[in-house]
Amino acid sequence: MTGRGDGGGAPGEDRGAGARPEEAPVSGPAAEAAGPVGRGEGAEASGGPAAAPGGGPTGAAAPEDGGAEQGAEDGEWRKLSPMMLVVAPVTYLKNFIIPLILMAFGATQNPWALVSLFAALAGLAVTGVFTWATFRYQVGARRLEIRKGLISRSRRTIPLERIRGVHVTSNLVHRLFGLAVVHIEAAAGGEGSEEGKLDAVGAEEAERLRRLLLHRRAVLRGDASSAGAAADTPPSGEAAGTASAGAASGTPAAEVGRTAAEPGGGGAPAPAGEPEETEYFRMPARWYGFGALSVGYLLTPFVALAAVIGLASQVAGDLMERPGAVAAGERAFLYYRSLAEGSGAPALAAVAAGVLLLVLALMPVFAVAAYAVNHWDFRLTGQDDSLVTRRGLFTRQSVALERRRIRGYELGDSPLERVRSAVRLRAIMTGLGGDSTRAVLLPTGPRARVEEIADETLGGYTGGLVRHPRAALRRRLVRSVLPFALPAAAAAAAGLYWAAVPAALLALVGIPLGADRYRALGHGRDAERISVRWGSLRRTQAVLRREAVIGWTWRQTLFQRPSGLAHLTATVGAGSGGYTAVDADLAESVGFAAGVTPEMIRPFLAAPAEPAEPAGTSPEKQEPPE
């Protein structure tokens, strides 16, 4: 069921009821070829060396710090890239950028500050060397192991089938040195999630790890596409022995292979070649212009200006501590005051107005630039049971989203984006919480193209939306107009026209805003999905799979009851947790929910009344015939 879609259940739950097939008895030569099937860790359980998928023991030597057994397939313990010794100190320098600027301009000459700064940098360099010398990782047939530390040693084992996602990031410094950081998100048996982080490995190694981990996770879970890929690979080594054991015992090969691939089984799954990714979308150049329609990106110049002002004020504050700085500041203030009170006032006003107009003119330019930096070369691909997004100019990000955790998607837009019929696509999935950045499947683009890709990757919505009652329009208008109309009337009655006029203008603007909020309301369903839409300044249409709905909530206020309206919330264990049809008709919303999950709603519906029998026809009251 959907409640176990986040990987928190038992390993067998991902394969239906989770029943483990009976292991066939194996004897004779076939048993020797098959090895110990279904006993912990295969050959390791019997004390022998672990067999590699290609047959024979693994040839890689054990690590210096552990001498642990080798995992199948990869077989070797790897270290981080030696270039991390250069990248780590450079990355941490951003925390000391302000002291370094002050030192460069001679704003501070405190010897203790200089000694502390260089001591911190030296400590970072020593820590980097220590980390590189003691850090090891190994990818086995069923698990990823990470070891680090010399005095205080730690060892983390992450089962591959528990991996939720593999995310690769590479900031500008990492990219200059050809490195990347691999983040492994894994479920820890229902007690939360544990993270594995490899900082930093080569860029090619990072991509290899991402593809390998996701593919092996799919194989261990019995994903259909992965199973097909594995079936095309000739059996070898332990896999061939397992097949021979099945033939010798009369057990179907598929049953034996599935038993061997169980998390507790002894045989490793038959390795298949790295799967090819299917590219669903690659961002064309014309899409970068949609950045000028986003309010968040349009405010980029003001954010940059605020950062510059903050840095300048901090530098000025440090400079004021120097001898003679107070007197210089007083002279500068007196000069500014003389200009403001004298003939220089128009010039100062013209300069301020020019700066403001320049910032307003640069808003679209900065918006497009910031949008391009964030979504540069955006790509959406598919691999096995995951969707993978890649984006970024300076910091390159690669995020893998597990398909079975995706419960639906959201189409969002703003008033400016609706002018160009543009929307953005975001996945609704479990395990991300409030992190909406990683759930982005497509940036803002033409609605027709975005819906086409959503249909191809997640399944489109073909049903319409039910318009909400006219009483909902009245409520939208009251909420958008009344908060400004009442203060405007009160200010006008008191003679404060300077306050009444702005409030009255805001009340007038609230009329089209309320009407647009009403037009956005709607809900509907088709054979497989439901859809809910709401909002105006930030309009969102959520499309959810029917099986993702785990509950319904009706909420009716005192003001909604006379109009027969109610808020209907579809509860899901993903995304924001619930999606609300605002001010829907109460009776219609009950029928809507009953049509989506009848087994959930039917027990709460009143049974239809049986037709009353005519008086005197009750068996108890009928007289016996004479």
Side-chain angles (χ1 to χ4, degrees):
M1 295 297 290
T2 58
R4 292 189 294 270
D6 58 354
E13 291 175 355
D14 296 336
R15 292 179 290 275
R20 187 185 298 265
E22 294 295 333
E23 299 175 1
V26 183
S27 60
E32 298 176 2
V37 178
R39 263 189 271 159
E41 294 296 334
E44 299 173 9
S46 60
T58 56
E64 299 175 0
D65 58 344
E69 68 279 358
Q70 298 300 311
E73 181 75 11
D74 227 18
E76 62 176 311
W77 289 83
R78 299 174 182 265
K79 302 176 65 174
L80 302 177
S81 173
M83 295 304 298
M84 69 158 292
L85 301 177
V86 180
V87 172
V90 174
T91 302
Y92 284 114
L93 277 178
K94 65 182 181 181
N95 300 322
F96 304 96
I97 188 66
I98 300 300
L100 291 176
I101 293 177
L102 297 178
M103 290 172 55
F105 287 96
T108 179
Q109 297 179 356
N110 189 340
W112 290 108
L114 300 178
V115 171
S116 300
L117 178 60
F118 285 110
L121 295 178
L124 291 175
V126 172
T127 302
V129 173
F130 181 80
T131 301
W132 178 81
T134 60
F135 197 99
R136 302 286 191 278
Y137 68 93
Q138 180 199 53
V139 180
R142 295 180 199 82
R143 62 185 181 271
L144 167 68
E145 291 194 24
I146 300 176
R147 299 182 180 183
K148 59 183 178 179
L150 182 61
I151 299 175
S152 178
R153 302 173 63 181
S154 69
R155 171 176 175 175
R156 172 166 293 177
T157 300
I158 302 177
L160 298 186
E161 62 182 8
R162 294 293 189 185
I163 290 179
R164 289 182 171 181
V166 181
H167 316 304
V168 179
T169 59
S170 181
N171 58 32
L172 183 59
V173 177
H174 285 89
R175 295 181 69 182
L176 289 176
F177 291 93
L179 301 179
V181 183
V182 181
H183 306 267
I184 299 97
E185 179 186 357
E191 297 180 358
S193 63
E194 55 182 8
E195 295 281 345
K197 182 178 179 181
L198 307 180
D199 184 8
V201 297
E204 295 182 358
E205 170 69 5
E207 285 299 314
R208 185 192 74 86
L209 284 173
R210 183 186 61 79
R211 292 193 300 267
L212 179 63
L213 293 175
L214 293 179
H215 180 57
R216 292 207 180 161
R217 178 192 67 183
V219 172
L220 288 172
R221 288 177 176 176
D223 179 70
S225 60
S226 300
D232 295 336
T233 304
S236 60
E238 190 173 347
T242 305
S244 301
S249 60
T251 305
E255 293 294 323
V256 177
R258 188 162 59 247
T259 304
E262 291 286 342
E274 289 188 359
E276 295 183 0
E277 291 186 340
T278 302
E279 184 172 283
Y280 297 110
F281 172 78
R282 188 161 193 166
M283 188 167 177
R286 64 179 182 275
W287 279 41
Y288 295 117
F290 289 106
L293 304 178
S294 173
V295 177
Y297 287 107
L298 286 174
L299 297 177
T300 302
F302 297 97
V303 176
L305 185 61
V308 171
I309 293 175
L311 178 61
S313 63
Q314 185 173 355
V315 173
D318 291 333
L319 291 175
M320 290 298 292
E321 297 179 359
R322 303 184 64 179
V326 176
E330 291 178 351
R331 289 194 298 270
F333 175 74
L334 292 175
Y335 179 70
Y336 167 77
R337 184 176 179 180
S338 64
L339 287 177
E341 295 177 352
S343 59
L348 291 176
V351 170
V355 171
L356 180 59
L357 291 176
L358 179 62
V359 172
L360 292 176
L362 290 178
M363 285 176 63
V365 178
F366 274 81
V368 172
Y371 185 83
V373 168
N374 192 28
H375 297 291
W376 183 261
D377 193 26
F378 191 102
R379 297 176 59 195
L380 174 63
T381 60
Q383 172 189 337
D384 285 334
D385 60 346
S386 299
L387 292 175
V388 182
T389 61
R390 298 180 180 87
R391 61 173 178 158
L393 178 61
F394 299 131
T395 299
R396 191 70 179 169
Q397 299 182 10
S398 176
V399 179
L401 304 177
E402 191 177 359
R403 291 180 188 267
R404 72 181 188 127
R405 294 169 55 204
I406 299 178
R407 302 293 182 256
Y409 57 88
E410 293 180 357
L411 297 171
D413 56 25
S414 65
L416 289 177
E417 293 169 341
R418 287 199 290 275
V419 173
R420 294 282 304 275
S421 186
V423 294
R424 53 189 175 273
L425 181 65
R426 177 180 176 271
I428 299 175
M429 60 185 305
T430 62
L432 289 184
D435 190 353
S436 60
T437 304
R438 295 193 324 192
V440 173
L441 290 178
L442 284 181
T444 304
R447 174 179 287 272
R449 178 59 175 156
V450 172
E451 290 181 345
E452 178 185 348
I453 297 175
D455 188 10
E456 183 180 2
T457 56
L458 301 176
Y461 174 70
T462 58
L465 296 177
V466 177
R467 183 178 292 273
H468 289 193
R470 299 290 292 182
L473 173 60
R474 294 194 299 270
R475 286 177 53 82
R476 304 275 78 70
L477 292 175
V478 168
R479 291 192 171 193
S480 59
V481 174
L482 197 61
F484 303 103
L486 291 180
L496 303 176
Y497 298 105
W498 58 270
V501 172
L505 292 177
L506 291 176
L508 291 176
V509 172
I511 296 176
L513 177 62
D516 187 67
R517 291 180 61 194
Y518 169 72
R519 285 194 298 268
L521 298 180
H523 63 278
R525 67 176 187 265
D526 61 10
E528 298 180 356
R529 295 169 180 82
I530 67 171
S531 180
V532 179
R533 191 176 67 184
W534 71 94
S536 176
L537 298 180
R538 186 180 178 183
R539 188 174 68 176
T540 304
Q541 180 177 357
V543 178
L544 303 166
R545 300 205 309 263
R546 289 194 175 202
E547 61 268 20
V549 179
I550 59 177
W552 300 94
T553 301
W554 281 268
R555 185 165 56 88
Q556 192 177 45
T557 65
L558 182 63
F559 300 101
Q560 288 176 313
R561 294 175 186 174
S563 303
L565 302 179
H567 296 328
L568 171 62
T569 301
T571 305
V572 295
S576 60
Y579 297 87
T580 302
V582 179
D583 283 335
D585 181 81
L586 178 60
E588 188 278 333
S589 65
V590 173
F592 170 78
V596 176
T597 56
E599 71 285 350
M600 188 183 302
I601 302 299
R602 189 181 298 115
F604 299 95
L605 298 179
E610 297 182 359
E613 297 180 356
T617 60
S618 175
E620 295 84 356
K621 297 182 179 180
Q622 287 182 348
E623 298 181 358
E626 296 181 358

